[in-house]
Amino acid sequence: MALPKLVVILGPTACGKSGLGVTLAKKYGGEIVSADSRQVYRGLDLGTGKITIAEMDGVAHHLLDVAQPGEQYSVARFQQEAYTALDGVIERDRLPFLVGGTGLYLRSVAEGYVFQVAPPDHTLRAELEALPTEVLRQRLLDAGVELDSDAWNNRPRLVRLTEKLRSGGDPHAEAERQPRYDVLTLGVAYPREAICRRIDKRLVARLDAGMVEEVAALRSQGVSDEFLYGLGLEYRYILRHLTGELSMEELIEELGRAIKRFAKRQVSWFKKDKDVHWLDMEADPITEATELIDSFLS
RNA sequence: GGGAGAGUUCCAGAGUGGCCAAAUGGGGCAGACUGUAAAUCUGUUGCGUAUCGCUUCGGUGGUUCGAAUCCACCCUCUCCCA
């Protein structure tokens, strides 16, 4: 039995994924499932570049605003909820579009990651987090776990490896996949300089639109600084501005740089996926995408 | 006009005779990443026909086997007294 079809739209930040998603979804009678690790939170709007109701233009969107700021979210939870949402779209006999920039989230659904039975143990994590890195590392080494240089100082990863070990999992287990969809992946990207220009432009526009005020409001509603800091980018840098650490000029400069660095990391991630059909955004991406989708559906 | 101090590799900033192409941080570049992923982490960052050679530490000229480090003069900047 053939797998249901899914169109994935991915790409670095500020390249027009959401807009393209809406256009294509309208054209094909589709619905959109967002794949963004920060847009799942309610109230994180300007800072995440979340699509507005008006911009949705009547197209149904899923997995936006499904968690409370401060709440724990994870790839596994995302995958679960995305599967449910996508299956709903398919049942309604509509074409599902998975649109977003969180590489891990996208891939977990598009490729069907099978997660080990080792859910986060927050009590254990709290314990481990108090330990020095060398201790975390040494315990794993003593247990025969092999660590590559990339994980050597990576505390979150050391903690997760320990967690897997404790719950009887195998830290070396081969990554498993069970694809549930027949996927067409469209990539949205501009040349590097163009991305940088778009990022700068969008940053200023969002600050004008009240992005700093959004963060201030979240704080006054009781969202912790720790959570905001952990979100990174806009929330982290604006928090630092609000606490007086960064002037407005420094905020614009440093945040702009950080977003560009992030875009680069996204590109690094997406580049590895050889199945992406990269659209030429400076030509006619809609026609190009339409042709690809048409042949994908036929 | 007089006095004090400073000029270092993209930036900031260590380094005061050999272990210095030069610490560290930032930035840049490349990368990793299956339950925190906008997070977290790794490598690299003068040039070259590369376990060796070449050109760098404001400029010029000295001292020395050897100088970013010492001396002289010059240029620039900061500060203090006028």
Side-chain angles (χ1 to χ4, degrees):
Chain A
M1 182 172 147
L3 298 173
K5 296 196 187 275
L6 167 67
V7 176
V8 169
I9 299 177
L10 53 72
T13 188
C15 286
K17 295 183 291 290
S18 305
L20 182 68
V22 168
T23 304
L24 294 174
K26 290 193 76 156
K27 199 156 190 156
Y28 289 92
E31 294 184 22
I32 290 173
V33 174
S34 159
D36 187 299
S37 66
R38 308 278 114 123
Q39 294 185 5
V40 297
Y41 293 106
R42 277 178 220 106
L44 308 201
D45 302 328
L46 286 168
T48 62
K50 195 183 286 170
I51 190 168
T52 62
I53 302 283
E55 289 165 341
M56 289 181 192
D57 202 7
V59 172
H61 280 68
H62 306 275
L63 292 197
L64 297 174
D65 303 321
V66 294
Q68 213 54 250
E71 193 179 327
Q72 173 79 30
Y73 206 84
S74 71
V75 217
R77 177 170 161 193
F78 171 79
Q79 187 194 47
Q80 186 102 356
E81 295 180 353
Y83 280 163
T84 304
L86 291 168
D87 292 347
V89 177
I90 290 159
E91 257 166 54
R92 264 169 258 132
D93 220 20
R94 319 205 74 202
L95 182 63
F97 288 81
L98 184 65
V99 180
T102 303
L104 180 66
Y105 284 19
L106 252 359
R107 200 172 282 171
S108 76
V109 169
E111 298 187 6
Y113 279 2
V114 176
F115 296 105
Q116 285 191 38
V117 189
D121 176 341
H122 294 98
T123 316
L124 175 65
R125 284 191 185 186
E127 247 172 68
L128 296 176
E129 235 117 86
L131 299 172
T133 306
E134 312 82 73
V135 174
L136 290 174
R137 182 165 54 221
Q138 198 52 49
R139 285 188 183 177
L140 286 164
L141 292 171
D142 290 346
V145 177
E146 282 172 40
L147 298 173
D148 55 24
S149 61
D150 286 310
W152 201 254
N153 285 318
N154 197 329
R155 294 181 55 90
R157 213 153 287 158
L158 294 174
V159 168
R160 166 97 269 246
L161 283 168
T162 307
E163 195 170 65
K164 277 188 189 171
L165 208 61
R166 290 287 178 91
S167 54
D170 175 6
H172 295 305
E174 186 111 344
E176 257 186 90
R177 287 149 215 241
Q178 265 169 29
R180 303 180 28 142
Y181 306 100
D182 179 13
V183 177
L184 170 71
T185 306
L186 305 178
V188 158
Y190 287 86
R192 178 88 135 221
E193 318 77 66
I195 296 180
C196 291
R197 275 199 303 278
R198 295 181 131 250
I199 287 173
D200 285 331
K201 203 171 143 201
R202 196 179 65 152
L203 175 55
V204 172
R206 287 185 299 159
L207 286 167
D208 287 346
M211 188 158 63
V212 171
E213 291 70 18
E214 173 176 300
V215 179
L218 287 164
R219 291 179 87 202
S220 69
Q221 285 157 27
V223 177
S224 76
D225 286 355
E226 192 190 1
F227 176 76
L228 292 171
Y229 183 86
L231 289 170
L233 297 186
E234 284 82 355
Y235 297 93
R236 174 177 294 186
Y237 284 83
I238 289 173
L239 173 68
R240 291 173 56 193
H241 172 248
L242 290 172
T243 56
E245 195 187 324
L246 297 177
S247 69
M248 190 40 106
E249 291 66 44
E250 290 168 327
L251 170 65
I252 292 172
E253 175 161 339
E254 292 192 24
L255 176 54
R257 263 206 300 265
I259 297 171
K260 287 164 202 160
R261 233 182 280 130
F262 169 56
K264 168 60 181 146
R265 262 179 281 133
Q266 289 180 298
V267 171
S268 272
W269 179 285
F270 296 137
K271 249 192 345 205
K272 283 207 303 192
D273 186 345
K274 298 304 174 211
D275 297 327
V276 180
H277 295 82
W278 291 100
L279 304 174
D280 183 350
M281 296 303 283
E282 287 173 325
D284 184 2
I286 297 179
T287 302
E288 202 181 345
T290 303
E291 284 167 9
L292 287 163
I293 296 173
D294 284 344
S295 78
F296 171 63
L297 295 178
S298 62

